[in-house]
Amino acid sequence: MTDDETRPIRARMAPSPTGPLHIGTARTSLYNYLFARHVGGTYVLRIEDTDLARGTVENEQDIIDNLHWLGITWDEGPQVAGGEDIGPFGPYRQSHRWELYAAEAAKLLEDGSAYHCWCTPEELDEVRRQQERNHEPPRYNGRCLRLTNADLAQFEAEGRKPAIRFRVPPEKVTFDDLVRGEVEFDNALLGDFVIVRAGGVPLYHFVVVVDDEKMNITHVIRGEDHLSNTPKHIALIRALGYREPRFGHIPLILNADRSKMSKRKSQTAMTAYREQGYLPEAMVNFLAFLGWSPGTEEEIFSLDELAGRFELGQVHKAGAVFDQDRLDHLNGVYIRSLTDEQLALRIRPFLPDALDDSAVLRVVPLIKERLVRLSDAPELVAFLHEPDEAVIAGYLPEELNAKGKSAAETAIALDAAAQLVQELDDADFSADVLEARSRAAAEQLGWKPGDFFKPIRVAVTGRSVSPPLFSSMELLGRDRVLARIGAAHAKVAGGGSLA
RNA sequence: GCCCCCAUCGUCUAGAGGCCUAGGACGCCACCCUUUCAAGGUGGAGAUCACCGGUUCGAAUCCGGUUGGGGGCACCA
């Protein structure tokens, strides 16, 4: 009945495909993964798809893809949605294990640990409402425990199908939680709960217990929201004569208002973060520190380093707010740690085809330290591939003016800029030369360099905030720079021509 | 309502009786660097360690209570 400590360690993650991979599920999966890898145990993926109404294969695909994206791998389980299972304890999808659950439920029925319940959802609702009115705890009233043969005959005549309800032994249950220590519950306060629906579909509390036993799971690490479900599971484990695994309940990830992180108040789908250009390394690092720390002041860790350091004993008990500012910061750190070649590869999918691979590689150094997310890249490089007309149409004439400068003065500056560009042949058209000439021109004009660069920046990139100006000009090429400066001049001078 | 869990700067956290006049990071504010924005550098504000009692020569650290927050009580997972 109790866990024999000599069993080889096996941990698992058990996502439900009722939605795409949730941040919280990802973090729980990560902790399980880190735990299993740290102790050299086996890591299992089991798909909890008993909710036929809400589960989809698309979600299963999303979960598997995003787990892989994070770099999390498992030793047993489906590697691809709908694909072959790997491992000796399969199938690893609950929807493929129904005979097993039926057999286990039959055992419970046989020895009286469970019984048929003929109550309809409407009847149960009514009872619950009644209990609420009387300020009683909302739990099953045990009606079907005391059925007469006549009742039974009538239900059958009505064509009702029974659910199977587990008879919870009214006893105190204690367990030693891996993160919280000794926890005690009184199961006398629990109502008997349904383990198999009318119609034969088994429910979560039951299948999770059956599968953890049959898959030889020794360590159940899950969110704190399951803490008060654990005594139910232990009661089931005992009734079925199973071995009791160790339980560890990790703190919840919270919305800004400290409630359990939800779709309603936060972005919870991992895919969304991925699409916004968060790096999996940053996400993993960030998630790991939501409820755990190595006990030092170090904070940048790869997945492998995390696995080397991770201890369940260092996991916190209190929930942690998901702080996107911190994620953003970490993402920037990871982006900047990439080589230009690596970053070019990662950014490629975020950029339009109009930019070829070599152009991407050339802009990367200009935007690297300006990126928070990869999806920031298109805006930063837009000046490169946007048609000149679009760039020119993108700003108002007065945006060209440096602070305190009039349109007339701006026209003069633009004029000087056009001239200096014209004087350069293609071979000389480099950032260094451009900068030297521009500074000289500014001095000649008696302008501060920054003031002189402002109209050029807007003219050339269409924006007052851009990557470094002269490198941008070099990338753009002499002709396009000239065209854009000319157009800007026309705009500010109301159609007047360049000198 | 009942049961359970939790409680260090706004946020993530260090801290496992004296090293703490509580450290780091994010964010915020200044300044420096600087062609914009970033990045980087330096500095700053920010926590009577929820509160109240106890134990102790000594408590953020141990104990009790209070308050506050969260989670769970489905024929969802």
Side-chain angles (χ1 to χ4, degrees), chain A residues 20-45:
Chain A
L21 183 65
H22 188 285
I23 288 285
T25 308
R27 205 269 308 242
T28 304
S29 299
L30 175 64
Y31 277 27
N32 271 286
Y33 170 86
L34 295 176
F35 166 75
R37 291 289 174 258
H38 184 79
V39 299
T42 302
Y43 190 41
V44 179
L45 171 64

PDB file of all heavy atoms in Angstrom, chain A residues 20-45:
ATOM      1  N   PRO A  20      -5.071  24.685 -25.800  1.00  0.00           N
ATOM      2  CA  PRO A  20      -3.663  24.665 -26.198  1.00  0.00           C
ATOM      3  C   PRO A  20      -2.774  24.677 -24.950  1.00  0.00           C
ATOM      4  O   PRO A  20      -3.267  24.919 -23.853  1.00  0.00           O
ATOM      5  CB  PRO A  20      -3.496  25.949 -26.999  1.00  0.00           C
ATOM      6  CG  PRO A  20      -4.606  26.840 -26.551  1.00  0.00           C
ATOM      7  CD  PRO A  20      -5.741  25.938 -26.156  1.00  0.00           C
ATOM      8  N   LEU A  21      -1.495  24.425 -25.125  1.00  0.00           N
ATOM      9  CA  LEU A  21      -0.595  24.348 -23.970  1.00  0.00           C
ATOM     10  C   LEU A  21      -0.671  25.633 -23.142  1.00  0.00           C
ATOM     11  O   LEU A  21      -0.397  26.718 -23.628  1.00  0.00           O
ATOM     12  CB  LEU A  21       0.849  24.092 -24.400  1.00  0.00           C
ATOM     13  CG  LEU A  21       1.841  23.939 -23.232  1.00  0.00           C
ATOM     14  CD1 LEU A  21       1.535  22.702 -22.400  1.00  0.00           C
ATOM     15  CD2 LEU A  21       3.274  23.913 -23.720  1.00  0.00           C
ATOM     16  N   HIS A  22      -1.027  25.467 -21.885  1.00  0.00           N
ATOM     17  CA  HIS A  22      -1.202  26.577 -20.947  1.00  0.00           C
ATOM     18  C   HIS A  22       0.137  26.837 -20.253  1.00  0.00           C
ATOM     19  O   HIS A  22       0.892  25.911 -19.991  1.00  0.00           O
ATOM     20  CB  HIS A  22      -2.274  26.151 -19.942  1.00  0.00           C
ATOM     21  CG  HIS A  22      -2.733  27.237 -19.008  1.00  0.00           C
ATOM     22  ND1 HIS A  22      -1.963  27.660 -17.944  1.00  0.00           N
ATOM     23  CD2 HIS A  22      -3.883  27.957 -18.955  1.00  0.00           C
ATOM     24  CE1 HIS A  22      -2.636  28.605 -17.280  1.00  0.00           C
ATOM     25  NE2 HIS A  22      -3.796  28.801 -17.879  1.00  0.00           N
ATOM     26  N   ILE A  23       0.404  28.087 -19.982  1.00  0.00           N
ATOM     27  CA  ILE A  23       1.642  28.463 -19.290  1.00  0.00           C
ATOM     28  C   ILE A  23       1.823  27.650 -18.009  1.00  0.00           C
ATOM     29  O   ILE A  23       2.921  27.183 -17.696  1.00  0.00           O
ATOM     30  CB  ILE A  23       1.608  29.974 -18.938  1.00  0.00           C
ATOM     31  CG1 ILE A  23       1.784  30.815 -20.200  1.00  0.00           C
ATOM     32  CG2 ILE A  23       2.666  30.323 -17.906  1.00  0.00           C
ATOM     33  CD1 ILE A  23       3.200  30.855 -20.726  1.00  0.00           C
ATOM     34  N   GLY A  24       0.748  27.485 -17.270  1.00  0.00           N
ATOM     35  CA  GLY A  24       0.825  26.753 -16.010  1.00  0.00           C
ATOM     36  C   GLY A  24       1.161  25.288 -16.227  1.00  0.00           C
ATOM     37  O   GLY A  24       1.965  24.703 -15.495  1.00  0.00           O
ATOM     38  N   THR A  25       0.547  24.700 -17.232  1.00  0.00           N
ATOM     39  CA  THR A  25       0.840  23.302 -17.569  1.00  0.00           C
ATOM     40  C   THR A  25       2.288  23.166 -18.003  1.00  0.00           C
ATOM     41  O   THR A  25       2.972  22.202 -17.654  1.00  0.00           O
ATOM     42  CB  THR A  25      -0.078  22.833 -18.708  1.00  0.00           C
ATOM     43  OG1 THR A  25      -1.425  23.125 -18.363  1.00  0.00           O
ATOM     44  CG2 THR A  25       0.084  21.340 -18.960  1.00  0.00           C
ATOM     45  N   ALA A  26       2.749  24.156 -18.756  1.00  0.00           N
ATOM     46  CA  ALA A  26       4.133  24.127 -19.225  1.00  0.00           C
ATOM     47  C   ALA A  26       5.087  24.185 -18.035  1.00  0.00           C
ATOM     48  O   ALA A  26       6.084  23.467 -17.980  1.00  0.00           O
ATOM     49  CB  ALA A  26       4.397  25.301 -20.161  1.00  0.00           C
ATOM     50  N   ARG A  27       4.790  25.026 -17.071  1.00  0.00           N
ATOM     51  CA  ARG A  27       5.667  25.151 -15.907  1.00  0.00           C
ATOM     52  C   ARG A  27       5.661  23.851 -15.105  1.00  0.00           C
ATOM     53  O   ARG A  27       6.703  23.378 -14.654  1.00  0.00           O
ATOM     54  CB  ARG A  27       5.240  26.338 -15.044  1.00  0.00           C
ATOM     55  CG  ARG A  27       6.382  26.917 -14.197  1.00  0.00           C
ATOM     56  CD  ARG A  27       6.456  26.264 -12.844  1.00  0.00           C
ATOM     57  NE  ARG A  27       5.186  26.306 -12.208  1.00  0.00           N
ATOM     58  CZ  ARG A  27       4.913  26.932 -11.075  1.00  0.00           C
ATOM     59  NH1 ARG A  27       5.855  27.569 -10.454  1.00  0.00           N
ATOM     60  NH2 ARG A  27       3.710  26.881 -10.571  1.00  0.00           N
ATOM     61  N   THR A  28       4.463  23.263 -14.912  1.00  0.00           N
ATOM     62  CA  THR A  28       4.394  21.986 -14.195  1.00  0.00           C
ATOM     63  C   THR A  28       5.185  20.915 -14.950  1.00  0.00           C
ATOM     64  O   THR A  28       5.922  20.131 -14.351  1.00  0.00           O
ATOM     65  CB  THR A  28       2.931  21.536 -14.043  1.00  0.00           C
ATOM     66  OG1 THR A  28       2.204  22.570 -13.382  1.00  0.00           O
ATOM     67  CG2 THR A  28       2.840  20.253 -13.232  1.00  0.00           C
ATOM     68  N   SER A  29       5.038  20.905 -16.256  1.00  0.00           N
ATOM     69  CA  SER A  29       5.782  19.947 -17.072  1.00  0.00           C
ATOM     70  C   SER A  29       7.285  20.167 -16.916  1.00  0.00           C
ATOM     71  O   SER A  29       8.053  19.218 -16.808  1.00  0.00           O
ATOM     72  CB  SER A  29       5.405  20.092 -18.547  1.00  0.00           C
ATOM     73  OG  SER A  29       4.037  19.845 -18.724  1.00  0.00           O
ATOM     74  N   LEU A  30       7.662  21.430 -16.915  1.00  0.00           N
ATOM     75  CA  LEU A  30       9.080  21.768 -16.767  1.00  0.00           C
ATOM     76  C   LEU A  30       9.620  21.273 -15.423  1.00  0.00           C
ATOM     77  O   LEU A  30      10.691  20.668 -15.364  1.00  0.00           O
ATOM     78  CB  LEU A  30       9.266  23.280 -16.886  1.00  0.00           C
ATOM     79  CG  LEU A  30      10.679  23.815 -16.635  1.00  0.00           C
ATOM     80  CD1 LEU A  30      11.650  23.288 -17.692  1.00  0.00           C
ATOM     81  CD2 LEU A  30      10.694  25.340 -16.619  1.00  0.00           C
ATOM     82  N   TYR A  31       8.897  21.518 -14.361  1.00  0.00           N
ATOM     83  CA  TYR A  31       9.357  21.086 -13.037  1.00  0.00           C
ATOM     84  C   TYR A  31       9.471  19.563 -12.981  1.00  0.00           C
ATOM     85  O   TYR A  31      10.413  19.018 -12.412  1.00  0.00           O
ATOM     86  CB  TYR A  31       8.413  21.583 -11.937  1.00  0.00           C
ATOM     87  CG  TYR A  31       8.678  23.014 -11.506  1.00  0.00           C
ATOM     88  CD1 TYR A  31       9.258  23.937 -12.368  1.00  0.00           C
ATOM     89  CD2 TYR A  31       8.356  23.457 -10.218  1.00  0.00           C
ATOM     90  CE1 TYR A  31       9.499  25.243 -11.971  1.00  0.00           C
ATOM     91  CE2 TYR A  31       8.603  24.756  -9.810  1.00  0.00           C
ATOM     92  CZ  TYR A  31       9.171  25.646 -10.697  1.00  0.00           C
ATOM     93  OH  TYR A  31       9.412  26.945 -10.294  1.00  0.00           O
ATOM     94  N   ASN A  32       8.491  18.890 -13.549  1.00  0.00           N
ATOM     95  CA  ASN A  32       8.554  17.428 -13.584  1.00  0.00           C
ATOM     96  C   ASN A  32       9.769  16.957 -14.382  1.00  0.00           C
ATOM     97  O   ASN A  32      10.477  16.043 -13.984  1.00  0.00           O
ATOM     98  CB  ASN A  32       7.286  16.854 -14.219  1.00  0.00           C
ATOM     99  CG  ASN A  32       6.190  16.593 -13.195  1.00  0.00           C
ATOM    100  OD1 ASN A  32       6.266  15.644 -12.415  1.00  0.00           O
ATOM    101  ND2 ASN A  32       5.193  17.443 -13.171  1.00  0.00           N
ATOM    102  N   TYR A  33       9.980  17.635 -15.490  1.00  0.00           N
ATOM    103  CA  TYR A  33      11.119  17.295 -16.341  1.00  0.00           C
ATOM    104  C   TYR A  33      12.434  17.518 -15.598  1.00  0.00           C
ATOM    105  O   TYR A  33      13.313  16.659 -15.575  1.00  0.00           O
ATOM    106  CB  TYR A  33      11.080  18.160 -17.611  1.00  0.00           C
ATOM    107  CG  TYR A  33      12.316  18.081 -18.469  1.00  0.00           C
ATOM    108  CD1 TYR A  33      12.462  17.080 -19.427  1.00  0.00           C
ATOM    109  CD2 TYR A  33      13.342  19.025 -18.334  1.00  0.00           C
ATOM    110  CE1 TYR A  33      13.607  17.010 -20.213  1.00  0.00           C
ATOM    111  CE2 TYR A  33      14.486  18.959 -19.116  1.00  0.00           C
ATOM    112  CZ  TYR A  33      14.613  17.951 -20.054  1.00  0.00           C
ATOM    113  OH  TYR A  33      15.740  17.891 -20.827  1.00  0.00           O
ATOM    114  N   LEU A  34      12.557  18.690 -14.978  1.00  0.00           N
ATOM    115  CA  LEU A  34      13.797  19.019 -14.265  1.00  0.00           C
ATOM    116  C   LEU A  34      14.025  18.035 -13.115  1.00  0.00           C
ATOM    117  O   LEU A  34      15.148  17.590 -12.878  1.00  0.00           O
ATOM    118  CB  LEU A  34      13.736  20.451 -13.727  1.00  0.00           C
ATOM    119  CG  LEU A  34      13.670  21.562 -14.779  1.00  0.00           C
ATOM    120  CD1 LEU A  34      13.514  22.929 -14.112  1.00  0.00           C
ATOM    121  CD2 LEU A  34      14.900  21.548 -15.681  1.00  0.00           C
ATOM    122  N   PHE A  35      12.940  17.706 -12.434  1.00  0.00           N
ATOM    123  CA  PHE A  35      13.057  16.753 -11.331  1.00  0.00           C
ATOM    124  C   PHE A  35      13.537  15.400 -11.848  1.00  0.00           C
ATOM    125  O   PHE A  35      14.490  14.824 -11.328  1.00  0.00           O
ATOM    126  CB  PHE A  35      11.698  16.594 -10.638  1.00  0.00           C
ATOM    127  CG  PHE A  35      11.633  15.411  -9.721  1.00  0.00           C
ATOM    128  CD1 PHE A  35      12.262  15.434  -8.480  1.00  0.00           C
ATOM    129  CD2 PHE A  35      10.957  14.253 -10.110  1.00  0.00           C
ATOM    130  CE1 PHE A  35      12.225  14.327  -7.643  1.00  0.00           C
ATOM    131  CE2 PHE A  35      10.920  13.144  -9.279  1.00  0.00           C
ATOM    132  CZ  PHE A  35      11.554  13.176  -8.046  1.00  0.00           C
ATOM    133  N   ALA A  36      12.876  14.907 -12.890  1.00  0.00           N
ATOM    134  CA  ALA A  36      13.219  13.585 -13.423  1.00  0.00           C
ATOM    135  C   ALA A  36      14.661  13.555 -13.935  1.00  0.00           C
ATOM    136  O   ALA A  36      15.420  12.629 -13.646  1.00  0.00           O
ATOM    137  CB  ALA A  36      12.257  13.202 -14.547  1.00  0.00           C
ATOM    138  N   ARG A  37      15.037  14.600 -14.655  1.00  0.00           N
ATOM    139  CA  ARG A  37      16.394  14.627 -15.201  1.00  0.00           C
ATOM    140  C   ARG A  37      17.424  14.752 -14.081  1.00  0.00           C
ATOM    141  O   ARG A  37      18.487  14.148 -14.125  1.00  0.00           O
ATOM    142  CB  ARG A  37      16.549  15.795 -16.180  1.00  0.00           C
ATOM    143  CG  ARG A  37      15.772  15.628 -17.473  1.00  0.00           C
ATOM    144  CD  ARG A  37      16.369  14.539 -18.374  1.00  0.00           C
ATOM    145  NE  ARG A  37      15.526  14.292 -19.547  1.00  0.00           N
ATOM    146  CZ  ARG A  37      14.697  13.249 -19.661  1.00  0.00           C
ATOM    147  NH1 ARG A  37      14.598  12.348 -18.682  1.00  0.00           N
ATOM    148  NH2 ARG A  37      13.968  13.082 -20.743  1.00  0.00           N
ATOM    149  N   HIS A  38      17.111  15.545 -13.091  1.00  0.00           N
ATOM    150  CA  HIS A  38      18.052  15.759 -11.997  1.00  0.00           C
ATOM    151  C   HIS A  38      18.372  14.459 -11.262  1.00  0.00           C
ATOM    152  O   HIS A  38      19.506  14.210 -10.886  1.00  0.00           O
ATOM    153  CB  HIS A  38      17.505  16.783 -10.999  1.00  0.00           C
ATOM    154  CG  HIS A  38      18.457  17.117  -9.888  1.00  0.00           C
ATOM    155  ND1 HIS A  38      19.518  17.981 -10.056  1.00  0.00           N
ATOM    156  CD2 HIS A  38      18.544  16.688  -8.604  1.00  0.00           C
ATOM    157  CE1 HIS A  38      20.208  18.067  -8.933  1.00  0.00           C
ATOM    158  NE2 HIS A  38      19.635  17.290  -8.025  1.00  0.00           N
ATOM    159  N   VAL A  39      17.347  13.649 -11.057  1.00  0.00           N
ATOM    160  CA  VAL A  39      17.569  12.409 -10.302  1.00  0.00           C
ATOM    161  C   VAL A  39      17.828  11.222 -11.216  1.00  0.00           C
ATOM    162  O   VAL A  39      17.943  10.094 -10.744  1.00  0.00           O
ATOM    163  CB  VAL A  39      16.362  12.090  -9.380  1.00  0.00           C
ATOM    164  CG1 VAL A  39      16.175  13.206  -8.364  1.00  0.00           C
ATOM    165  CG2 VAL A  39      15.097  11.876 -10.199  1.00  0.00           C
ATOM    166  N   GLY A  40      17.903  11.480 -12.517  1.00  0.00           N
ATOM    167  CA  GLY A  40      18.161  10.381 -13.444  1.00  0.00           C
ATOM    168  C   GLY A  40      16.991   9.422 -13.567  1.00  0.00           C
ATOM    169  O   GLY A  40      17.171   8.234 -13.832  1.00  0.00           O
ATOM    170  N   GLY A  41      15.791   9.945 -13.362  1.00  0.00           N
ATOM    171  CA  GLY A  41      14.607   9.101 -13.472  1.00  0.00           C
ATOM    172  C   GLY A  41      14.030   9.097 -14.874  1.00  0.00           C
ATOM    173  O   GLY A  41      14.616   9.642 -15.801  1.00  0.00           O
ATOM    174  N   THR A  42      12.887   8.453 -15.001  1.00  0.00           N
ATOM    175  CA  THR A  42      12.209   8.365 -16.290  1.00  0.00           C
ATOM    176  C   THR A  42      11.076   9.379 -16.316  1.00  0.00           C
ATOM    177  O   THR A  42      10.397   9.600 -15.322  1.00  0.00           O
ATOM    178  CB  THR A  42      11.638   6.955 -16.481  1.00  0.00           C
ATOM    179  OG1 THR A  42      12.714   6.018 -16.380  1.00  0.00           O
ATOM    180  CG2 THR A  42      10.965   6.811 -17.826  1.00  0.00           C
ATOM    181  N   TYR A  43      10.914   9.982 -17.479  1.00  0.00           N
ATOM    182  CA  TYR A  43       9.898  11.022 -17.617  1.00  0.00           C
ATOM    183  C   TYR A  43       8.851  10.588 -18.644  1.00  0.00           C
ATOM    184  O   TYR A  43       9.188  10.211 -19.770  1.00  0.00           O
ATOM    185  CB  TYR A  43      10.578  12.313 -18.049  1.00  0.00           C
ATOM    186  CG  TYR A  43       9.669  13.513 -18.002  1.00  0.00           C
ATOM    187  CD1 TYR A  43       8.779  13.690 -16.955  1.00  0.00           C
ATOM    188  CD2 TYR A  43       9.704  14.472 -19.000  1.00  0.00           C
ATOM    189  CE1 TYR A  43       7.949  14.793 -16.898  1.00  0.00           C
ATOM    190  CE2 TYR A  43       8.890  15.580 -18.955  1.00  0.00           C
ATOM    191  CZ  TYR A  43       8.011  15.728 -17.900  1.00  0.00           C
ATOM    192  OH  TYR A  43       7.199  16.819 -17.867  1.00  0.00           O
ATOM    193  N   VAL A  44       7.605  10.634 -18.236  1.00  0.00           N
ATOM    194  CA  VAL A  44       6.514  10.104 -19.046  1.00  0.00           C
ATOM    195  C   VAL A  44       5.513  11.197 -19.416  1.00  0.00           C
ATOM    196  O   VAL A  44       5.172  12.037 -18.585  1.00  0.00           O
ATOM    197  CB  VAL A  44       5.752   9.006 -18.238  1.00  0.00           C
ATOM    198  CG1 VAL A  44       4.583   8.450 -19.045  1.00  0.00           C
ATOM    199  CG2 VAL A  44       6.702   7.902 -17.813  1.00  0.00           C
ATOM    200  N   LEU A  45       5.063  11.166 -20.675  1.00  0.00           N
ATOM    201  CA  LEU A  45       3.963  12.043 -21.087  1.00  0.00           C
ATOM    202  C   LEU A  45       2.711  11.206 -21.288  1.00  0.00           C
ATOM    203  O   LEU A  45       2.716  10.230 -22.041  1.00  0.00           O
ATOM    204  CB  LEU A  45       4.284  12.763 -22.404  1.00  0.00           C
ATOM    205  CG  LEU A  45       3.111  13.542 -23.031  1.00  0.00           C
ATOM    206  CD1 LEU A  45       2.659  14.689 -22.140  1.00  0.00           C
ATOM    207  CD2 LEU A  45       3.475  14.071 -24.415  1.00  0.00           C
TER     208      LEU A  45
END
